[in-house]
């Protein structure tokens, strides 16, 4: 699930490119690219501490991190104590930022994937129901010549008055067959050679620091 790259071994920009050009991205011909504006400057410190606290039970370490995040600096003649942001250029900042964006990664890799799974299941159900309403392809090949043969049989039966009941039933079946063939042929004329609504939805996600990309079909 880890599609977060940067600042760790085996997670370089080249590793990100290798992931995006792997066999898992075949057929994903659309890309949505994002870059978070002023990413480090808008980190909410309370939220970052809450995320760290999910995995770290060391009270002393958490207290130390809270002090480290509560810093100030001099801008001209003014001392600034920012409520947001983590300092850029520090050795710890890239690691903290990756932790901060873990919820984004989790949303795309878990919640969004579950949503796509439900859509694909719904599409499969709809296709199954359509198959019951419309004539299957193999039956659409039922030709006009076959109908002509049926009509000849009916004409031979008409000569015998005792067959009137059988004739009426045969007519009903025949007209129903003709109607089904016409509906099926009309459906096939309207159907494109490649129906985008029947493809299975897929996506591939990768993030490098504050830059991310989402590939999809």
């Amino acid at each position: 699930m880890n599609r977060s790259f940067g600042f760790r071994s085996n997670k370089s920009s080249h590793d990100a490119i290798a992931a995006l050009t792997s066999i898992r991205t075949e057929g994903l011909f659309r890309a949505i690219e994002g870059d978070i504006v002023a990413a480090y400057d808008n980190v909410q410190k309370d939220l970052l501490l809450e995320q760290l606290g999910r995995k770290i039970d060391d009270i002393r370490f958490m207290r130390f991190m809270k002090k480290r995040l509560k810093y100030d600096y001099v801008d001209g003649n003014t001392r600034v104590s920012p409520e947001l942001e983590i300092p850029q250029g520090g050795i710890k900042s890239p690691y903290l930022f990756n932790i901060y964006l873990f919820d984004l990664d989790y949303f795309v890799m878990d919640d969004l994937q579950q949503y796509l799974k439900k859509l694909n299941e719904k599409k499969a159900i709809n296709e199954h129901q359509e198959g019951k309403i419309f004539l299957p392809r193999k039956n659409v090949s039922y030709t006009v010549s076959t109908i002509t043969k049926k009509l000849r049989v009916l004409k031979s039966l008409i000569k015998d008055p005792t067959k009137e009941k059988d004739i009426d039933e045969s007519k009903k079946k025949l007209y129903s067959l003709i109607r089904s063939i016409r509906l099926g042929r009309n459906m096939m004329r309207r159907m494109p050679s490649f129906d985008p609504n029947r493809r299975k939805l897929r996506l591939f996600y990768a993030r490098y620091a504050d830059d991310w990309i989402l590939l999809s079909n």
Side-chain angles (χ1 to χ4, degrees):
M1 173 184 165
N2 191 351
R3 302 280 174 77
S4 166
F5 295 87
F7 319 114
R8 291 109 72 208
S9 59
N10 300 320
K11 290 293 181 180
S12 67
S13 56
H14 294 90
D15 293 312
I17 293 172
L20 291 169
T21 56
S22 67
I23 192 172
R24 291 174 294 178
T25 63
E26 286 188 1
L28 306 182
F29 51 83
R30 291 192 178 183
I32 302 174
E33 185 181 6
D35 180 12
I36 302 174
V37 178
Y40 282 59
D41 297 338
N42 289 299
V43 172
Q44 299 180 38
K45 299 178 183 180
D46 291 341
L47 180 57
L48 176 56
L49 289 170
E50 188 268 328
Q51 288 173 300
L52 289 171
R54 295 177 193 171
K55 294 289 185 179
I56 300 173
D57 296 329
D58 192 327
I59 298 175
R60 290 180 298 176
F61 177 81
M62 292 301 300
R63 190 181 298 125
F64 167 75
M65 286 304 303
K66 187 174 183 179
K67 289 181 179 179
R68 290 288 292 169
L69 290 174
K70 190 177 181 180
Y71 62 91
D72 55 17
Y73 60 90
V74 177
D75 184 8
N77 296 324
T78 307
R79 183 170 291 278
V80 180
S81 298
E83 294 184 5
L84 301 175
E85 83 174 52
I86 54 178
Q88 297 193 47
I91 191 172
K92 68 180 184 301
S93 297
Y95 298 100
L96 291 175
F97 188 75
N98 263 335
I99 294 171
Y100 185 70
L101 285 191
F102 173 77
D103 286 349
L104 170 64
D105 301 338
Y106 188 83
F107 169 76
V108 176
M109 297 303 299
D110 189 79
D111 295 354
L112 195 55
Q113 290 283 10
Q114 291 295 328
Y115 177 69
L116 285 185
K117 183 179 178 181
K118 290 180 181 179
L119 286 181
N120 287 327
E121 290 175 351
K122 184 177 180 181
K123 285 155 68 76
I125 292 173
N126 289 339
E127 288 179 16
H128 180 67
Q129 292 175 343
E130 287 176 5
K132 292 181 179 180
I133 295 172
F134 296 106
L135 194 68
R137 276 181 183 268
K138 61 181 180 179
N139 290 338
V140 173
S141 60
Y142 213 89
T143 60
V144 175
S145 61
T146 306
I147 299 174
T148 306
K149 291 178 182 178
K150 293 283 186 179
L151 286 172
R152 288 174 183 168
V153 173
L154 281 176
K155 287 181 180 180
S156 63
L157 291 174
I158 289 174
K159 297 177 182 179
D160 188 352
T162 60
K163 301 291 185 179
E164 290 183 1
K165 186 177 179 180
D166 294 335
I167 291 172
D168 291 338
E169 291 181 358
S170 298
K171 279 184 177 180
K172 289 179 182 179
K173 291 179 181 179
L174 183 60
Y175 292 149
S176 175
L177 177 63
I178 293 172
R179 184 172 180 274
S180 297
I181 292 173
R182 286 176 177 172
L183 286 174
R185 284 179 174 172
N186 289 335
M187 179 189 70
M188 290 184 69
R189 290 191 191 103
R190 295 194 302 268
M191 185 182 296
S193 58
F194 176 70
D195 188 356
N197 294 322
R198 292 178 180 269
R199 73 163 70 104
K200 183 179 179 181
L201 300 176
R202 297 166 49 225
L203 61 81
F204 187 92
Y205 166 80
R207 178 178 62 81
Y208 189 95
D210 59 335
D211 297 294
W212 54 266
I213 189 167
L214 192 67
L215 304 179
S216 178
N217 60 343

